Every structure is written in C-alpha cells, then in structure tokens.
Amino acid sequence: MTTIENGPGTRELAGKRALVTGGSRGIGAAVVRQLLDAGAEVLTTARSATGTVPEGANFVAADVRTRAGAEALAATAQEALGGVDIVVHNAGGARPHEGALAIPDEEWQDALDLNYLASVRLDSLLVPGMRERRSGRIVHISSAAVLTPVGPFLHYVAAKAALETYSQGLALELAPFGIRVNVVSPGRTATPGGEATREQWAEVSARMDAAPGPTNAADTTPLGRDGRPEDIAHAVLFLLSDRAGWLTASNLVVDGGEFPRG
C-alpha cells in the first residue's frame, strides 16, 4: 500500500508554482497563505493593491474580467514563475438588486465576465503548459448559494452555476493529461467582501419590503457559526495536494451544513 507522506504543516507543494486570483484579502488571501506554508511559489492578483497581500507572495494588479486582462496576467505569471502548476480562481462577486428582473444587462455581463468567463479565459491560456507537462491542478471557487438561487443575486449564482458545469466538463477532458480540476463552494464566510454584500442585501430587502437575510450564522448553519477564510483555504489545499490525487470533477461544499445536498 502506498503511503502519502504529506499533509497539513508539511512542505507538500514545494517546487510548485501557483497563481491565485482575488488573493489580496478574505478567502483568496487565506488560500495564498496556505500555499506559501505548503512550500509553493505564489503569484496573486487583484484589481488594485490593498496592503493585505500575504507576505512572501508576488503580487500584480490585474483585471481578469476581460480577455486582454487575462492575457496580460498569464504573460506576467509565465515571466514571474516560469510556468504555472496550480491555478486557484477566487476572484468573484456581484451586488444585489431588487429581484432578478431588476438586474441591468451590463451587470449580467459583468457577473459572467468576473465569476465565469475569467476562469475560462485564464484556463485557456495556462492549461496548454500543464498539458505539455502532463500535470496540473485547478480549483475554481464557486458558491454554495447555487443550491438555493434567489432573485437579488441571480446573476451571480447563474454565473457560478455555469462555472460548475464548465469545471466538470473541463475535468473530464483534461484527466488523461494528469490535470485535476475541482470546485470548492463556500457557504456564508466571514470576510470583508461578504460583510459588505450582506449589508447591501439588507438595504435591498428593506426597499423590497422583504425579510432581510439572516443576521447571524446560528440562524442558518447547523454548526452555528460563520465560516472562516481558513476553513475554505484548508479545503482548497486538500484538493491541490496529493492526498486528493484521485479526485477530479468534484465539488466540495464547505458551508457548515447550511445547504445540504439530498
């Protein structure tokens, strides 16, 4: 029987080169820290520097919502790292509206560009190198909210649902080349971006004369608390590690039991 000599606290990703989008704060920054602790060399990106990028990571400002932005980031990753072995697509988000029909066309497109097409475009630029090396690991960050879509965020969850379907198909196509593609779907997580979104949702709910979202995780989560960025990052690191060497096309929901799958 083969024993995998790695795990939390080891340098299990030593020598690996990783790109993490949206890595300047919250879940993305926690993923960057986990990768650094595991020995990977990390390039991370956000639309602007925030001063909270984890120490030890390389950073470049980039907007992945456009093909040109994706091409520039891929070129920077190639120059800075000499190639990419690991990709974690974490950049995402959208603001709520007063129901699905109130979402303007431009915000539908922006949600698709940021939450879905950014991953498609970057993968198309980075996967060829992985395929040549017959090795690679990709994790796309989705959302557990896909399981219970609501009108104010329908553009966001629809884009994430597309990301999940794309990820499954890509995983099957790339499996013969030794490339694993998986999804992590966080539930409610205590991050600056998540808190801002919940405040926006409360404002929208008040205008709609609708009940606001839950005020604390104990209202909705069997484990009785919000997730922490590290909870999500641990799941990502597991899927990137050799411990998950027989996992591809999977979707790991990390939500404290809030959205159980039947």
Side-chain angles (χ1 to χ4, degrees):
M1 182 175 67
T2 300
T3 301
I4 298 174
E5 297 294 342
N6 60 24
T10 71
R11 305 283 285 178
E12 58 189 314
L13 296 179
K16 298 297 184 183
R17 302 159 297 181
L19 172 64
V20 180
T21 66
S24 64
R25 63 177 188 168
I27 291 172
V31 169
V32 170
R33 286 191 292 270
Q34 289 286 319
L35 288 170
L36 290 170
D37 289 347
E41 183 179 5
V42 182
L43 172 67
T44 190
T45 183
R47 275 179 272 182
S48 60
T50 64
T52 58
V53 176
E55 185 177 356
N58 302 297
F59 175 82
V60 60
D63 188 346
V64 296
R65 293 175 298 177
T66 67
R67 179 73 187 185
E71 289 175 347
L73 177 56
T76 298
Q78 180 64 38
E79 180 180 353
L81 303 176
V84 176
D85 306 299
I86 291 169
V87 180
V88 180
H89 295 287
N90 174 69
R95 68 187 185 95
H97 289 271
E98 295 176 25
L101 300 182
I103 302 169
D105 282 357
E106 60 270 20
E107 292 202 31
W108 275 102
Q109 186 62 58
D110 188 67
L112 288 168
D113 282 332
L114 179 58
N115 297 289
Y116 169 46
L117 292 173
S119 297
V120 174
R121 290 164 179 152
L122 272 175
D123 290 345
S124 72
L125 295 163
L126 297 173
V127 163
M130 296 181 180
R131 197 159 46 197
E132 288 180 7
R133 295 187 295 274
R134 302 189 72 84
S135 176
R137 306 168 192 188
I138 298 170
V139 171
H140 295 144
I141 305 298
S142 181
S143 171
V146 169
L147 299 170
T148 56
V150 294
F153 284 103
L154 198 55
H155 51 332
Y156 174 74
V157 295
K160 290 297 191 183
L163 178 66
E164 292 182 9
T165 299
Y166 158 74
S167 300
Q168 285 188 327
L170 185 67
L172 298 178
E173 181 175 322
L174 297 180
F177 299 94
I179 302 168
R180 296 191 292 106
V181 183
N182 292 292
V183 173
V184 170
S185 293
R188 174 180 170 130
T189 307
T191 66
E195 183 57 36
T197 297
R198 285 187 282 276
E199 290 176 0
Q200 292 169 355
W201 194 350
E203 293 172 2
V204 167
S205 297
R207 293 197 299 270
M208 296 173 66
D209 194 26
T215 56
N216 62 72
D219 293 333
T220 58
T221 307
L223 289 181
R225 65 168 175 86
D226 281 349
R228 295 182 286 265
E230 292 74 19
D231 294 322
I232 314 305
H234 286 311
V236 172
L237 184 65
F238 166 68
L239 289 174
L240 294 173
S241 74
D242 289 341
R243 290 168 286 144
W246 209 46
L247 281 178
T248 197
S250 69
N251 187 341
L252 183 53
V253 179
V254 188
D255 66 349
E258 183 177 0
F259 298 101
R261 295 193 173 206

mmCIF file of all heavy atoms in Angstrom, residues 96-99 150-153 188 197-215 219-220:
data_model
loop_
_atom_site.group_PDB
_atom_site.id
_atom_site.type_symbol
_atom_site.label_atom_id
_atom_site.label_comp_id
_atom_site.label_asym_id
_atom_site.label_seq_id
_atom_site.Cartn_x
_atom_site.Cartn_y
_atom_site.Cartn_z
ATOM 1 N N PRO A 96 -26.357 42.938 -5.088
ATOM 2 C CA PRO A 96 -27.755 42.523 -5.212
ATOM 3 C C PRO A 96 -28.639 43.615 -5.799
ATOM 4 O O PRO A 96 -28.318 44.807 -5.727
ATOM 5 C CB PRO A 96 -28.150 42.225 -3.764
ATOM 6 C CG PRO A 96 -27.274 43.135 -2.960
ATOM 7 C CD PRO A 96 -25.969 43.206 -3.704
ATOM 8 N N HIS A 97 -29.751 43.179 -6.373
ATOM 9 C CA HIS A 97 -30.755 44.089 -6.927
ATOM 10 C C HIS A 97 -32.130 43.687 -6.407
ATOM 11 O O HIS A 97 -32.293 42.642 -5.772
ATOM 12 C CB HIS A 97 -30.718 44.055 -8.457
ATOM 13 C CG HIS A 97 -29.509 44.711 -9.030
ATOM 14 N ND1 HIS A 97 -29.450 46.048 -9.339
ATOM 15 C CD2 HIS A 97 -28.286 44.205 -9.328
ATOM 16 C CE1 HIS A 97 -28.249 46.345 -9.815
ATOM 17 N NE2 HIS A 97 -27.523 45.240 -9.816
ATOM 18 N N GLU A 98 -33.118 44.499 -6.727
ATOM 19 C CA GLU A 98 -34.473 44.258 -6.222
ATOM 20 C C GLU A 98 -35.182 43.230 -7.092
ATOM 21 O O GLU A 98 -36.188 43.502 -7.732
ATOM 22 C CB GLU A 98 -35.239 45.581 -6.169
ATOM 23 C CG GLU A 98 -34.638 46.564 -5.166
ATOM 24 C CD GLU A 98 -35.335 47.918 -5.189
ATOM 25 O OE1 GLU A 98 -36.517 47.980 -5.589
ATOM 26 O OE2 GLU A 98 -34.698 48.916 -4.830
ATOM 27 N N GLY A 99 -34.630 42.030 -7.127
ATOM 28 C CA GLY A 99 -35.212 40.956 -7.896
ATOM 29 C C GLY A 99 -34.476 40.713 -9.197
ATOM 30 O O GLY A 99 -33.748 41.579 -9.696
ATOM 31 N N VAL A 150 -31.508 32.916 -5.404
ATOM 32 C CA VAL A 150 -32.517 33.932 -5.080
ATOM 33 C C VAL A 150 -32.395 35.087 -6.064
ATOM 34 O O VAL A 150 -31.321 35.376 -6.584
ATOM 35 C CB VAL A 150 -32.356 34.447 -3.635
ATOM 36 C CG1 VAL A 150 -32.664 33.326 -2.630
ATOM 37 C CG2 VAL A 150 -30.954 34.997 -3.401
ATOM 38 N N GLY A 151 -33.515 35.745 -6.325
ATOM 39 C CA GLY A 151 -33.590 36.780 -7.346
ATOM 40 C C GLY A 151 -32.569 37.890 -7.246
ATOM 41 O O GLY A 151 -31.937 38.246 -8.252
ATOM 42 N N PRO A 152 -32.360 38.491 -6.068
ATOM 43 C CA PRO A 152 -31.422 39.615 -5.993
ATOM 44 C C PRO A 152 -30.001 39.278 -6.425
ATOM 45 O O PRO A 152 -29.259 40.157 -6.848
ATOM 46 C CB PRO A 152 -31.462 39.987 -4.503
ATOM 47 C CG PRO A 152 -32.827 39.578 -4.059
ATOM 48 C CD PRO A 152 -33.108 38.312 -4.803
ATOM 49 N N PHE A 153 -29.618 37.994 -6.318
ATOM 50 C CA PHE A 153 -28.267 37.560 -6.701
ATOM 51 C C PHE A 153 -28.275 36.572 -7.863
ATOM 52 O O PHE A 153 -27.318 35.827 -8.041
ATOM 53 C CB PHE A 153 -27.575 36.899 -5.501
ATOM 54 C CG PHE A 153 -27.088 37.860 -4.461
ATOM 55 C CD1 PHE A 153 -27.785 38.023 -3.276
ATOM 56 C CD2 PHE A 153 -25.944 38.620 -4.667
ATOM 57 C CE1 PHE A 153 -27.342 38.912 -2.312
ATOM 58 C CE2 PHE A 153 -25.493 39.508 -3.702
ATOM 59 C CZ PHE A 153 -26.195 39.654 -2.527
ATOM 60 N N ARG A 188 -21.707 30.778 3.781
ATOM 61 C CA ARG A 188 -21.521 32.098 4.390
ATOM 62 C C ARG A 188 -20.190 32.137 5.133
ATOM 63 O O ARG A 188 -19.968 31.361 6.072
ATOM 64 C CB ARG A 188 -22.685 32.374 5.342
ATOM 65 C CG ARG A 188 -22.536 33.655 6.148
ATOM 66 C CD ARG A 188 -23.742 33.836 7.049
ATOM 67 N NE ARG A 188 -23.499 34.913 7.991
ATOM 68 C CZ ARG A 188 -24.343 35.922 8.208
ATOM 69 N NH1 ARG A 188 -25.469 35.983 7.545
ATOM 70 N NH2 ARG A 188 -24.059 36.868 9.085
ATOM 71 N N THR A 197 -21.498 42.636 1.194
ATOM 72 C CA THR A 197 -22.622 42.096 0.423
ATOM 73 C C THR A 197 -23.851 41.930 1.299
ATOM 74 O O THR A 197 -24.981 42.240 0.882
ATOM 75 C CB THR A 197 -22.239 40.749 -0.207
ATOM 76 O OG1 THR A 197 -21.159 40.962 -1.123
ATOM 77 C CG2 THR A 197 -23.414 40.149 -0.959
ATOM 78 N N ARG A 198 -23.677 41.448 2.529
ATOM 79 C CA ARG A 198 -24.820 41.277 3.422
ATOM 80 C C ARG A 198 -25.446 42.627 3.780
ATOM 81 O O ARG A 198 -26.678 42.738 3.907
ATOM 82 C CB ARG A 198 -24.391 40.512 4.673
ATOM 83 C CG ARG A 198 -24.188 39.026 4.413
ATOM 84 C CD ARG A 198 -23.941 38.247 5.682
ATOM 85 N NE ARG A 198 -22.591 38.392 6.168
ATOM 86 C CZ ARG A 198 -21.552 37.660 5.742
ATOM 87 N NH1 ARG A 198 -21.727 36.755 4.804
ATOM 88 N NH2 ARG A 198 -20.345 37.830 6.254
ATOM 89 N N GLU A 199 -24.628 43.649 3.928
ATOM 90 C CA GLU A 199 -25.176 44.984 4.195
ATOM 91 C C GLU A 199 -25.974 45.480 2.998
ATOM 92 O O GLU A 199 -27.063 46.067 3.156
ATOM 93 C CB GLU A 199 -24.039 45.951 4.515
ATOM 94 C CG GLU A 199 -23.374 45.680 5.862
ATOM 95 C CD GLU A 199 -22.175 46.587 6.107
ATOM 96 O OE1 GLU A 199 -21.867 47.417 5.219
ATOM 97 O OE2 GLU A 199 -21.556 46.468 7.184
ATOM 98 N N GLN A 200 -25.463 45.251 1.789
ATOM 99 C CA GLN A 200 -26.197 45.651 0.584
ATOM 100 C C GLN A 200 -27.511 44.892 0.477
ATOM 101 O O GLN A 200 -28.547 45.459 0.114
ATOM 102 C CB GLN A 200 -25.335 45.392 -0.651
ATOM 103 C CG GLN A 200 -24.121 46.288 -0.768
ATOM 104 C CD GLN A 200 -23.163 45.818 -1.864
ATOM 105 O OE1 GLN A 200 -23.358 44.777 -2.481
ATOM 106 N NE2 GLN A 200 -22.136 46.612 -2.119
ATOM 107 N N TRP A 201 -27.481 43.596 0.816
ATOM 108 C CA TRP A 201 -28.691 42.790 0.743
ATOM 109 C C TRP A 201 -29.750 43.311 1.716
ATOM 110 O O TRP A 201 -30.943 43.360 1.397
ATOM 111 C CB TRP A 201 -28.350 41.344 1.042
ATOM 112 C CG TRP A 201 -29.441 40.367 0.673
ATOM 113 C CD1 TRP A 201 -30.723 40.664 0.290
ATOM 114 C CD2 TRP A 201 -29.343 38.947 0.651
ATOM 115 N NE1 TRP A 201 -31.420 39.511 0.028
ATOM 116 C CE2 TRP A 201 -30.610 38.444 0.241
ATOM 117 C CE3 TRP A 201 -28.319 38.062 0.937
ATOM 118 C CZ2 TRP A 201 -30.854 37.084 0.115
ATOM 119 C CZ3 TRP A 201 -28.576 36.701 0.808
ATOM 120 C CH2 TRP A 201 -29.819 36.222 0.408
ATOM 121 N N ALA A 202 -29.325 43.704 2.911
ATOM 122 C CA ALA A 202 -30.266 44.242 3.886
ATOM 123 C C ALA A 202 -30.925 45.517 3.358
ATOM 124 O O ALA A 202 -32.140 45.724 3.541
ATOM 125 C CB ALA A 202 -29.547 44.520 5.206
ATOM 126 N N GLU A 203 -30.141 46.367 2.692
ATOM 127 C CA GLU A 203 -30.695 47.600 2.119
ATOM 128 C C GLU A 203 -31.688 47.291 1.006
ATOM 129 O O GLU A 203 -32.764 47.895 0.922
ATOM 130 C CB GLU A 203 -29.563 48.475 1.593
ATOM 131 C CG GLU A 203 -28.640 49.022 2.685
ATOM 132 C CD GLU A 203 -27.420 49.717 2.118
ATOM 133 O OE1 GLU A 203 -27.323 49.799 0.874
ATOM 134 O OE2 GLU A 203 -26.572 50.154 2.912
ATOM 135 N N VAL A 204 -31.343 46.336 0.153
ATOM 136 C CA VAL A 204 -32.239 45.955 -0.940
ATOM 137 C C VAL A 204 -33.520 45.340 -0.379
ATOM 138 O O VAL A 204 -34.629 45.641 -0.839
ATOM 139 C CB VAL A 204 -31.530 44.970 -1.892
ATOM 140 C CG1 VAL A 204 -32.532 44.311 -2.838
ATOM 141 C CG2 VAL A 204 -30.455 45.687 -2.689
ATOM 142 N N SER A 205 -33.380 44.478 0.639
ATOM 143 C CA SER A 205 -34.553 43.847 1.240
ATOM 144 C C SER A 205 -35.492 44.884 1.831
ATOM 145 O O SER A 205 -36.722 44.749 1.739
ATOM 146 C CB SER A 205 -34.109 42.867 2.333
ATOM 147 O OG SER A 205 -33.343 41.816 1.788
ATOM 148 N N ALA A 206 -34.932 45.929 2.433
ATOM 149 C CA ALA A 206 -35.766 46.985 3.009
ATOM 150 C C ALA A 206 -36.558 47.709 1.913
ATOM 151 O O ALA A 206 -37.743 48.022 2.092
ATOM 152 C CB ALA A 206 -34.893 47.966 3.775
ATOM 153 N N ARG A 207 -35.928 47.964 0.776
ATOM 154 C CA ARG A 207 -36.631 48.623 -0.332
ATOM 155 C C ARG A 207 -37.702 47.721 -0.925
ATOM 156 O O ARG A 207 -38.723 48.187 -1.425
ATOM 157 C CB ARG A 207 -35.635 49.045 -1.415
ATOM 158 C CG ARG A 207 -34.670 50.135 -0.992
ATOM 159 C CD ARG A 207 -34.014 50.795 -2.183
ATOM 160 N NE ARG A 207 -33.232 49.857 -2.974
ATOM 161 C CZ ARG A 207 -31.926 49.610 -2.760
ATOM 162 N NH1 ARG A 207 -31.305 50.200 -1.764
ATOM 163 N NH2 ARG A 207 -31.272 48.756 -3.535
ATOM 164 N N MET A 208 -37.449 46.396 -0.892
ATOM 165 C CA MET A 208 -38.417 45.443 -1.425
ATOM 166 C C MET A 208 -39.503 45.103 -0.416
ATOM 167 O O MET A 208 -40.430 44.351 -0.723
ATOM 168 C CB MET A 208 -37.696 44.146 -1.828
ATOM 169 C CG MET A 208 -36.711 44.294 -2.947
ATOM 170 S SD MET A 208 -35.748 42.769 -3.215
ATOM 171 C CE MET A 208 -37.039 41.629 -3.773
ATOM 172 N N ASP A 209 -39.378 45.622 0.814
ATOM 173 C CA ASP A 209 -40.293 45.275 1.898
ATOM 174 C C ASP A 209 -40.297 43.768 2.107
ATOM 175 O O ASP A 209 -41.344 43.137 2.306
ATOM 176 C CB ASP A 209 -41.709 45.778 1.628
ATOM 177 C CG ASP A 209 -42.582 45.736 2.890
ATOM 178 O OD1 ASP A 209 -42.008 45.808 3.992
ATOM 179 O OD2 ASP A 209 -43.811 45.629 2.755
ATOM 180 N N ALA A 210 -39.105 43.180 2.024
ATOM 181 C CA ALA A 210 -38.944 41.743 2.192
ATOM 182 C C ALA A 210 -38.128 41.466 3.439
ATOM 183 O O ALA A 210 -37.424 42.337 3.956
ATOM 184 C CB ALA A 210 -38.251 41.138 0.975
ATOM 185 N N ALA A 211 -38.234 40.263 3.915
ATOM 186 C CA ALA A 211 -37.447 39.885 5.093
ATOM 187 C C ALA A 211 -35.976 39.880 4.742
ATOM 188 O O ALA A 211 -35.585 39.328 3.716
ATOM 189 C CB ALA A 211 -37.873 38.508 5.583
ATOM 190 N N PRO A 212 -35.126 40.510 5.561
ATOM 191 C CA PRO A 212 -33.693 40.512 5.271
ATOM 192 C C PRO A 212 -33.086 39.136 5.469
ATOM 193 O O PRO A 212 -33.703 38.242 6.063
ATOM 194 C CB PRO A 212 -33.127 41.508 6.294
ATOM 195 C CG PRO A 212 -34.093 41.438 7.442
ATOM 196 C CD PRO A 212 -35.441 41.205 6.816
ATOM 197 N N GLY A 213 -31.882 38.976 4.984
ATOM 198 C CA GLY A 213 -31.159 37.723 5.187
ATOM 199 C C GLY A 213 -30.847 37.517 6.654
ATOM 200 O O GLY A 213 -31.045 38.412 7.486
ATOM 201 N N PRO A 214 -30.395 36.347 7.039
ATOM 202 C CA PRO A 214 -30.111 36.042 8.453
ATOM 203 C C PRO A 214 -29.054 36.973 9.019
ATOM 204 O O PRO A 214 -28.120 37.349 8.323
ATOM 205 C CB PRO A 214 -29.620 34.599 8.409
ATOM 206 C CG PRO A 214 -29.158 34.389 6.998
ATOM 207 C CD PRO A 214 -30.049 35.242 6.151
ATOM 208 N N THR A 215 -29.218 37.345 10.275
ATOM 209 C CA THR A 215 -28.278 38.272 10.901
ATOM 210 C C THR A 215 -27.074 37.562 11.494
ATOM 211 O O THR A 215 -26.070 38.188 11.765
ATOM 212 C CB THR A 215 -28.980 39.071 12.016
ATOM 213 O OG1 THR A 215 -29.558 38.149 12.945
ATOM 214 C CG2 THR A 215 -30.083 39.938 11.417
ATOM 215 N N ASP A 219 -28.581 31.262 12.746
ATOM 216 C CA ASP A 219 -29.919 31.191 12.173
ATOM 217 C C ASP A 219 -29.996 30.159 11.059
ATOM 218 O O ASP A 219 -31.078 29.641 10.770
ATOM 219 C CB ASP A 219 -30.327 32.556 11.591
ATOM 220 C CG ASP A 219 -30.505 33.606 12.674
ATOM 221 O OD1 ASP A 219 -30.816 33.247 13.809
ATOM 222 O OD2 ASP A 219 -30.331 34.785 12.347
ATOM 223 N N THR A 220 -28.909 29.869 10.402
ATOM 224 C CA THR A 220 -28.958 29.072 9.183
ATOM 225 C C THR A 220 -27.992 27.902 9.156
ATOM 226 O O THR A 220 -28.184 26.986 8.359
ATOM 227 C CB THR A 220 -28.648 29.962 7.960
ATOM 228 O OG1 THR A 220 -27.360 30.554 8.142
ATOM 229 C CG2 THR A 220 -29.693 31.054 7.793
#
